[in-house]
């Protein structure tokens, strides 16, 4: 698009049609939002960056003399549905100016798209532009999901004085941790790279077919060696950044410095609302963000539902939008009374929503020991008992079944068949006499050995119902250090009720593919490695145990509220 045509678009106000207003009103009612208060127009604008690049945005302007405030959302996924609805129209109809911006190199914005790399300076330049607009209300908040949450952390690394609040939905602050945090590469980011490199394909039918086929294509590419070659075959000329992600594996590598903002957790002082799901791939970072800000006495709130990453814009949308509006009205629109009854609201899987004064609540540690013959018990077995063994074959890795994923296949799933696999160890406890509530991160401590120093471990806690059906609760993964004999793996945080009559199950495997790239077993770089070598794992009894942070249902105050 030429600058001339872009400027012509700038002068063209686009009011919402009568049909569009009706649909927006119907959606607001379905989401149980406050009634829309104003009409709005949409103007396409261009925003100059310090290097001369101009970024495209849509400005949603409420037709009211008393706007509630200004909102900024920045992302790479375009400015149409679902982002125009979830982060612009619903708020503009309730009195907010909204700037929905396409980041550098995406959907008409100039420059080259390098994921995460330019977000801090580009966000600062966008705020500088905001200050100069005659309609700017003087204070603004940031909102957005996933990458649109990361762009908020980039801005919070050096918060501008006009910033009044932030609502960050499943937004990581450290991209290196997201990609390599377990020590193994997260294949989700090959899938993500493939998606964003093709998302602007003008041939919509072809693009739709490609999206349907993408998970199988990504899995096939991740199954081949070397991964660098097969990934490039999948990506074609797109995603030029991908190989560099595979090359730089260490957390201390300066390569990642422009893609992580841990300092933002120390610099932010404005009220922050964090929204997440127990099955989201970034839930650990969200909990870390909450705990860090809370310990600094920042005004921070946390809501976690039973959702995956992509469900934040589907099943979780109603709650997320309602809580976002409440937060904005309180901290930007100057609502007289805060409507949030507690800092923390979590969904206890197997029970329902609960309000808490903090996270995690008070718990006591409960130990369950791995026992011979697949049992899980309250006391340790004899130390001289033979270990349990399984063989990991990188040519046939253990398949991913549910859990935190970027695909629709993630979330809570029936994983009964996993316990029957030869490459999985399964330990199942006796039926519970009473409900057991767990709040926080389970930990599996293993006395472990392997005949191959290059090894990974996947662990899962599941709940087995009275009919023998197993369902995942929490996962953990780690690449082991050479010669590591005592292994401690922290699983994903949970709020879960194990129901009386159900049984707790621990699953252990040497891979979790394609959620994580398989360990080749040779120590070769993932980018270029070709050889595959199997490993026999041994789990030794005595000290191997599951640690559960157990709490009391009676200690959880629930002042009311909906469950949906």
């Amino acid at each position: 698009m030429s600058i001339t045509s872009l400027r012509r678009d700038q002068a063209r106000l686009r009011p919402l049609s009568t049909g569009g207003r009706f649909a927006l009103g119907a959606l607001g009612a379905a989401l149980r939002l406050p009634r829309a208060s104003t009409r709005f127009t949409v103007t396409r604008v261009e925003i100059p960056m310090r290097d001369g690049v101009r970024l495209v945005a849509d400005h949603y302007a409420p037709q009211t003399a008393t706007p509630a405030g200004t909102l900024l959302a920045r992302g790479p996924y375009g400015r149409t549905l679902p982002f125009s609805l979830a982060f612009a129209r619903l708020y503009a109809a309730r009195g907010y100016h909204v700037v929905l911006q396409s980041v550098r190199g995406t959907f008409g914005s100039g420059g080259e798209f390098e994921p995460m790399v330019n977000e801090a300076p580009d966000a600062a330049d966008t705020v500088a532009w905001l200050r100069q607009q005659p309609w700017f209300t003087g204070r603004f908040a940031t909102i957005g999901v996933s990458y649109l949450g990361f762009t908020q952390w980039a801005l919070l690394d050096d918060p501008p004085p006009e910033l009044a609040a932030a609502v960050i939905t499943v937004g990581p602050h450290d991209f290196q941790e997201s990609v390599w945090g377990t020590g193994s590469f997260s294949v989700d980011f090959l899938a993500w790279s493939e998606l964003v490199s093709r998302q602007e394909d003008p041939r919509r039918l072809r693009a739709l077919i490609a999206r349907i086929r993408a998970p199988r294509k990504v899995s096939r590419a991740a199954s081949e060696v070397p991964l660098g070659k097969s990934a490039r075959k999948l990506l074609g000329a797109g995603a030029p950044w991908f190989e560099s992600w595979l090359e730089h594996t260490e957390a201390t590598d300066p390569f990642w410095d422009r893609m992580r903002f841990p300092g933002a957790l120390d610099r932010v002082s404005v009220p922050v609302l964090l929204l997440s799901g127990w099955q989201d791939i970034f839930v650990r970072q969200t909990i870390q963000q909450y705990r860090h800000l809370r310990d600094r006495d920042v005004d921070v709130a946390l809501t976690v539902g039973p959702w995956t990453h992509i469900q934040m814009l589907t099943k979780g949308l109603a709650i997320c939008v309602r809580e976002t509006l409440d937060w904005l009205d309180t901290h930007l629109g100057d609502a007289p009374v805060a409507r949030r009854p507690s800092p923390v609201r979590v969904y206890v899987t197997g029970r329902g929503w609960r309000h808490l004064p903090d996270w995690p609540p008070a718990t006591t540690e409960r130990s369950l020991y791995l026992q011979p013959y697949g049992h899980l018990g309250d006391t340790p077995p004899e130390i001289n008992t033979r270990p349990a063994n399984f063989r990991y074959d990188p040519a046939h890795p253990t398949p991913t079944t549910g859990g935190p994923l970027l695909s629709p296949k993630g979330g809570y799933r029936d994983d009964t068949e996993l316990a029957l696999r030869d490459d999985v160890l399964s330990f199942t406890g006796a039926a519970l006499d009473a409900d057991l509530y767990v709040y926080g991160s389970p930990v599996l401590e293993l006395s472990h050995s392997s005949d191959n120093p290059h090894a990974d471990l996947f662990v899962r806690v599941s709940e087995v119902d009275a009919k023998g059906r197993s369902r995942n609760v929490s996962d953990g993964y780690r690449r082991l250090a050479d010669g590591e004999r005592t292994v401690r793996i922290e699983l994903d945080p949970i709020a879960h009720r194990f129901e009386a009559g159900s049984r707790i199950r621990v699953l252990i495997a040497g891979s979790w593919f394609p959620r994580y790239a398989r360990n080749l077993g040779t120590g070769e770089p993932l980018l270029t490695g070709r050889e595959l070598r199997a490993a026999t794992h041994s789990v030794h009894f005595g000290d191997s145990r599951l640690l559960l942070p157990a709490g009391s249902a009676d200690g959880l105050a629930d002042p009311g509220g909906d469950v949906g």
Side-chain angles (χ1 to χ4, degrees), residues 296-312:
R296 290 183 50 232
D297 292 325
V298 174
D299 185 357
V300 60
L302 172 71
T303 294
V304 189
W307 310 308
T308 67
H309 194 77
I310 62 177
Q311 287 172 346
M312 303 303 296

Side-chain angles (χ1 to χ4, degrees), residues 269-308:
S269 59
V270 301
V272 178
L273 171 61
L274 300 169
L275 303 169
S276 188
W278 294 125
Q279 293 292 303
D280 176 55
I281 64 170
F282 301 127
V283 65
R284 293 191 188 211
Q285 288 199 47
T286 298
I287 297 298
Q288 178 190 355
Q289 293 157 9
Y290 170 81
R291 190 68 261 158
H292 195 106
L293 298 184
R294 180 78 166 181
D295 289 345
R296 290 183 50 232
D297 292 325
V298 174
D299 185 357
V300 60
L302 172 71
T303 294
V304 189
W307 310 308
T308 67

Side-chain angles (χ1 to χ4, degrees), residues 506-542:
V506 172
L507 299 170
I508 304 173
S511 59
W512 193 237
F513 181 83
R515 172 67 176 93
Y516 297 104
R518 61 207 168 146
N519 194 321
L520 301 180
T522 63
E524 293 180 279
L526 185 61
L527 183 69
T528 58
R530 294 177 177 273
E531 185 181 352
L532 302 179
R533 188 176 302 162
T536 297
H537 292 256
S538 298
V539 172
H540 304 269
F541 298 110

Side-chain angles (χ1 to χ4, degrees), residues 19 37 76 155 210 286 290 343 387 424 505 519 537 546 552 560:
S37 60
L155 179 64
T286 298
Y290 170 81
V424 176
R505 172 171 288 169
N519 194 321
H537 292 256
L546 172 67
S552 169

Side-chain angles (χ1 to χ4, degrees), residues 386-403:
R386 282 188 174 185
N389 303 316
F390 70 93
R391 185 174 185 269
Y392 158 66
D393 182 357
H396 304 284
T398 308
T400 302
T401 305

Side-chain angles (χ1 to χ4, degrees), residues 466-551:
K467 295 181 179 180
R469 292 173 300 195
S470 178
R471 185 170 179 245
N472 58 299
V473 175
S474 181
D475 294 351
Y477 197 95
R478 257 198 59 197
R479 176 147 296 179
L480 305 183
D482 185 0
E484 188 174 3
R485 301 271 309 181
T486 301
V487 180
R488 179 182 172 90
I489 300 179
E490 182 177 297
L491 283 71
D492 292 329
I494 58 173
H496 183 78
R497 178 189 69 159
F498 290 94
E499 188 176 4
S502 70
R503 293 174 291 157
I504 298 172
R505 172 171 288 169
V506 172
L507 299 170
I508 304 173
S511 59
W512 193 237
F513 181 83
R515 172 67 176 93
Y516 297 104
R518 61 207 168 146
N519 194 321
L520 301 180
T522 63
E524 293 180 279
L526 185 61
L527 183 69
T528 58
R530 294 177 177 273
E531 185 181 352
L532 302 179
R533 188 176 302 162
T536 297
H537 292 256
S538 298
V539 172
H540 304 269
F541 298 110
D543 294 328
S544 294
R545 60 178 181 165
L546 172 67
L547 304 176
L548 295 175

Side-chain angles (χ1 to χ4, degrees), residues 75-77 83 103-104 106 113-117 119 145-148 150-151 172 175 179 185-199 211 214-215 218 234-235 238-242 245 259 281-282 309-310 406-407:
Y77 306 119
F83 300 95
V103 301
R104 180 179 293 249
T106 67
F113 180 53
E114 298 179 80
M116 292 68 178
V117 168
E119 302 313 341
V145 62
S146 191
Y147 195 108
L148 287 73
F150 178 86
T151 59
F175 189 60
V179 176
F185 179 75
S186 175
V187 177
D188 272 333
F189 293 102
L190 171 58
W192 182 85
S193 295
E194 198 272 342
L195 182 149
V196 296
S197 67
R198 302 184 192 279
Q199 65 178 342
R211 294 277 66 72
V218 170
L234 170 71
L235 298 170
W241 57 80
F242 183 74
W245 291 356
M259 290 176 268
I281 64 170
F282 301 127
H309 194 77
I310 62 177
L406 284 180
S407 82

Side-chain angles (χ1 to χ4, degrees), residues 196-216:
V196 296
S197 67
R198 302 184 192 279
Q199 65 178 342
E200 296 187 58
D201 191 332
R203 296 162 293 187
R204 296 194 175 187
L205 179 59
R206 181 172 177 176
L208 176 60
I209 294 173
R211 294 277 66 72
I212 295 172
R213 294 177 176 173
R216 291 193 300 272

